[in-house]
Amino acid sequence: MKKELELLQGVMRENGVAICVVPTNDFHGSEYINEYFRSRQFISGFTGSAGTLVVCEDSAYLWTDGRYFLQASLQLKESGIELMKTGEPGVPEIDEFLKKNLKQGDVLAFDGRVLACRIGDKYKQIADKCGAITKFDLDLPDLVWTERPKLLGNSIWALPETSYGETFEEKLARVRKSMTKSSVNYHLITGLEENAWLYNLRGSDVDRSPIFFSFTLITPDSVRLYKFGDDFDDLLKEKGVTVKSYLDIFEDIKLLPNEAKVLADFDAASYSLIKSIPAPCKIVDGISPASVFKSVKNHMEIAATKEAHMYDGIAMVNFIYWLKNTVSKQSLTEISASDHLESLRRAQPGFIDLSFDTIAGYMSNGAIIHYSATPESDTALEANGFILVDSGGQYLKGTTDITRTIALGALTDKMKEYYTAVLRGHLDLAMAKFRAGTTGCDLDYLARKALQEIGLDYNHGTGHGVGHVLSVHEGPQRISKLPNKYKLEPGMITSDEPGVYIEGEFGIRIENEILCKEADGNADELYFEMLTLCPYEPDAIISERLTEEERSYLNDYHKMVYSKLAPLLEPEVRNWLRKVTAPL
């Protein structure tokens, strides 16, 4: 059993706690979190970006989704923590587990500052029905995390005017107009991406995401920004913004007037923050209009993003050329390959950082959906088989996310068959033409059909929104089997990433970013435009398995990739690109 788990169970006994819930979250409902908030990782040793740890007096359980089943099973070995595979037959959800295990008089504890209000409300209702007590002001992991990093804010910087296309004042006016329609006079914005978008400011408080710790409270005639430090304070004050210290929000929210009608997103705002709003106030649970607005990119953002994809495509093409021509000549590993790709991105104009830690999984490691190579797992590359590389960059012009499954040498017939099926699904979604009002759920089947025809499927969503110099994952739209009420709109950028994962053998995933657009002259007809610029793997494609439409679309895409990137490449790389983008 992990020492950290034993220590946590010890402080649970000291505080009379029967069950402690440790989520993966911060004060803002973020997907990616600052090291200060990684309590679940500290206690469990599981490093995935999604998961909830539930600790009992003499047992512990970790829930995570299908992206992390293999990774979690490896990292939880001998930890004393049982893996609970969310959505699998016979695996209860956390609320079912709590209903079964909480008893009269038990204490259920969680840090309400890092648990979404909607989830906290659910846990409180369960505890009440079981006759248990809920304590949400206990940060028990903090009592055993003696070397916990400090909660600090880093410097903030301004996004170039050529990258955002809409001023703070214009964005604020749109938010206030939406508030009026919702009949609210206060809007609490807790999402870090929404705050960064609103002010056209960026930071580095979260790894790989250019965002800064912040809260915003908007009324019809005032704006309060809560943040660390004094960066841009004078400019913000000139724009009518009152700047306050980051943690002051937890006290100020208690002082709202009784007539306040507050719009807050219960999926993003913390349980503690919402429960601090005075009881006479009316709270409206709803997504921030800023979240919806930022998902629809304007013309300037789209133009800037296309430029970022050109730079990213140069890095990717140089990487694939280098990898294929080096793997048989010198020793390479997953980590050394990832490091070289990062160096190529860093050489591009306007590069800020990676948009997430690169996933480079050779052969069986590629079957771990969100594999992260460590010095212990780092695998040597050989001149055969597949390496799956999922990577991206943050640039001053935009955010990129791309996956390519690269042939390092000879492939089996099975690898080619499965690659071709994944590619067909990827192309079929990209070719979709659909009516306005369509959701991602309506289109998800297109990416799975070719795989399902040969008895395969994948246990993750097909596409997520991509931020503009923000988080590589954003909503509210997504392409998934799960229902989603948010329709796909022109200007939304979403990923297209079907895959297949054969445990112990190999993994295949292909991902491009796609832009939703209106058909010329018809606002009711929508389609996707490819933004990503990088060739597919011709050595893995069984051409005769493609339909004529798929083959034509693929050839047109490869023609575009070559025409845009070739002038910017060295002659030997350009010659290679011409060969791999030749018509099938």
Side-chain angles (χ1 to χ4, degrees):
M1 180 179 290
K2 279 187 96 271
K3 175 185 67 175
E4 293 80 4
L5 176 60
E6 291 179 323
L7 291 172
L8 178 59
Q9 289 173 326
V11 298
M12 288 170 59
R13 287 189 290 271
E14 293 170 7
N15 287 270
V17 172
I19 298 179
C20 176
V21 178
V22 186
T24 305
N25 211 343
D26 59 11
F27 297 160
H28 307 274
S30 305
E31 177 183 10
Y32 298 114
I33 56 177
N34 179 277
E35 59 182 358
Y36 172 85
F37 294 102
R38 296 175 189 168
S39 298
R40 187 225 67 212
Q41 179 177 324
F42 171 76
I43 299 297
S44 69
F46 170 59
T47 59
S49 67
T52 300
L53 178 66
V54 177
V55 182
C56 304
E57 296 175 23
D58 55 6
S59 59
Y61 309 85
L62 186 133
W63 276 260
T64 192
D65 61 56
R67 296 172 296 167
Y68 296 107
F69 288 170
L70 289 177
Q71 178 181 338
S73 65
L74 293 172
Q75 292 182 331
L76 295 179
K77 281 183 179 178
E78 300 181 2
S79 67
I81 301 170
E82 181 178 345
L83 173 60
M84 307 296 278
K85 297 181 178 181
T86 302
E88 293 293 288
V91 177
E93 297 294 334
I94 294 175
D95 52 353
E96 296 174 46
F97 178 90
L98 293 177
K99 290 175 185 177
K100 182 178 179 180
N101 288 277
L102 278 173
K103 300 177 178 59
Q104 181 81 27
D106 279 351
V107 172
L108 170 66
F110 55 83
D111 181 356
R113 300 171 302 169
V114 296
L115 194 71
C117 185
R118 193 176 318 284
I119 298 174
D121 278 339
K122 185 189 298 184
Y123 292 172
K124 175 68 163 57
Q125 291 168 7
I126 292 170
D128 288 348
K129 289 180 180 179
C130 294
I133 300 165
T134 302
K135 289 189 176 181
F136 61 90
D137 58 351
L138 292 177
D139 183 2
L140 294 180
D142 186 65
L143 300 179
V144 301
W145 195 354
T146 56
E147 297 182 3
R148 186 176 195 172
K150 294 185 180 299
L151 180 58
L152 301 169
N154 296 316
S155 61
I156 298 172
W157 51 275
L159 198 63
E161 291 185 16
T162 54
S163 188
Y164 58 76
E166 187 178 19
T167 66
F168 160 72
E169 291 84 355
E170 291 167 334
K171 292 177 178 180
L172 179 63
R174 283 210 284 159
V175 171
R176 281 182 168 148
K177 184 177 180 180
S178 182
M179 289 171 59
T180 300
K181 288 182 178 179
S182 299
S183 300
V184 298
N185 55 6
Y186 282 81
H187 179 26
L188 174 64
I189 302 179
T190 58
L192 299 181
E193 291 81 4
E194 285 73 26
N195 284 315
W197 171 85
L198 177 64
Y199 299 101
N200 292 319
L201 297 175
R202 300 296 188 266
S204 59
D205 290 342
V206 177
D207 288 347
R208 311 309 196 192
S209 295
I211 49 183
F212 57 97
F213 289 133
S214 52
F215 298 94
T216 294
L217 193 59
I218 300 175
T219 74
D221 54 12
S222 69
V223 182
R224 277 183 259 173
L225 170 62
Y226 298 80
K227 68 179 184 66
F228 283 108
D230 57 6
D231 292 343
F232 295 95
D233 283 8
D234 291 341
L235 179 61
L236 288 163
K237 289 172 184 176
E238 289 176 9
K239 295 177 180 293
V241 179
T242 300
V243 182
K244 304 202 67 176
S245 180
Y246 174 65
L247 294 174
D248 284 355
I249 185 66
F250 290 97
E251 293 303 317
D252 285 4
I253 203 73
K254 300 175 183 177
L255 304 177
L256 294 184
N258 290 348
E259 64 272 16
K261 296 180 180 178
V262 187
L263 173 63
D265 184 352
F266 282 23
D267 289 318
S270 73
Y271 185 79
S272 291
L273 205 53
I274 296 300
K275 298 309 172 186
S276 295
I277 296 175
C281 298
K282 180 181 179 181
I283 306 173
V284 177
D285 172 21
I287 190 172
S288 171
S291 180
V292 178
F293 294 156
K294 75 177 174 58
S295 71
V296 179
K297 279 61 178 177
N298 60 48
H299 294 300
M300 189 173 288
E301 289 172 325
I302 291 169
T305 292
K306 289 182 177 181
E307 189 174 342
H309 277 283
M310 184 174 64
Y311 299 141
D312 206 62
I314 294 169
M316 281 298 302
V317 166
N318 278 299
F319 170 71
I320 297 173
Y321 173 80
W322 168 85
L323 184 60
K324 285 176 172 286
N325 285 277
T326 306
V327 67
S328 63
K329 300 174 184 177
Q330 67 183 63
S331 176
L332 295 178
T333 69
E334 294 163 333
I335 290 178
S336 66
S338 298
D339 289 346
H340 186 72
L341 175 54
E342 180 175 349
S343 73
L344 292 170
R345 280 199 167 97
R346 289 190 179 280
Q348 299 305 314
F351 178 85
I352 302 168
D353 195 2
L354 301 180
S355 55
F356 56 97
D357 290 338
T358 298
I359 298 166
Y362 178 61
M363 293 302 285
S364 62
N365 289 339
I368 303 173
I369 298 175
H370 276 202
Y371 171 74
S372 179
T374 65
E376 295 75 25
S377 70
D378 190 20
T379 299
L381 307 185
E382 300 177 12
N384 62 79
F386 279 140
I387 181 171
L388 186 158
V389 181
D390 187 347
S391 65
Q394 296 283 5
Y395 300 86
L396 290 174
K397 294 288 188 176
T399 301
T400 67
D401 186 3
I402 174 175
T403 306
R404 287 296 182 266
T405 303
I406 304 163
L408 298 183
L411 302 175
T412 65
D413 290 343
K414 180 179 180 180
M415 291 176 181
K416 293 178 181 180
E417 179 186 11
Y418 289 7
Y419 183 95
T420 303
V422 172
L423 176 62
R424 290 188 61 206
H426 170 84
L427 295 173
D428 290 348
L429 175 59
M431 293 188 299
K433 293 179 173 56
F434 49 97
R435 304 283 295 179
T438 298
T439 69
C441 181
D442 298 327
L443 300 180
D444 181 78
Y445 76 96
L446 292 170
R448 299 178 190 270
K449 184 179 178 183
L451 282 166
Q452 291 172 343
E453 287 173 353
I454 59 173
L456 299 173
D457 205 343
Y458 50 95
N459 194 10
H460 59 74
T462 297
H464 56 80
V466 180
H468 181 67
V469 200
L470 286 170
S471 175
V472 73
H473 293 161
E474 78 167 15
Q477 86 278 16
R478 66 172 181 260
I479 301 174
S480 168
K481 290 188 289 188
L482 299 175
N484 181 8
K485 68 179 182 180
Y486 294 99
K487 62 187 179 181
L488 295 167
E489 298 183 39
M492 285 183 169
I493 296 174
T494 312
S495 68
D496 170 5
E497 50 181 312
V500 66
Y501 311 93
I502 310 304
E503 185 173 355
E505 296 186 46
F506 58 85
I508 299 167
R509 185 164 63 252
I510 302 171
E511 175 186 16
N512 280 6
E513 288 182 31
I514 50 178
L515 170 68
C516 184
K517 299 185 70 173
E518 286 183 2
D520 291 340
N522 190 347
D524 290 331
E525 294 292 334
L526 305 179
Y527 71 101
F528 293 121
E529 175 187 346
M530 290 282 204
L531 296 178
T532 304
L533 298 172
C534 185
Y536 302 114
E537 181 51 79
D539 293 338
I541 301 172
I542 304 174
S543 180
E544 55 268 27
R545 296 283 180 89
L546 303 179
T547 67
E548 284 303 317
E549 185 180 10
E550 290 164 349
R551 183 182 295 106
S552 176
Y553 188 91
L554 172 61
N555 287 336
D556 287 344
Y557 173 72
H558 272 168
K559 182 179 180 180
M560 177 186 71
V561 169
Y562 182 79
S563 66
K564 291 190 174 184
L565 298 185
L568 306 171
L569 300 171
E570 294 297 323
E572 66 274 14
V573 183
R574 184 166 61 246
N575 289 337
W576 170 83
L577 183 62
R578 183 175 64 250
K579 293 176 183 177
V580 299
T581 57
L584 294 179

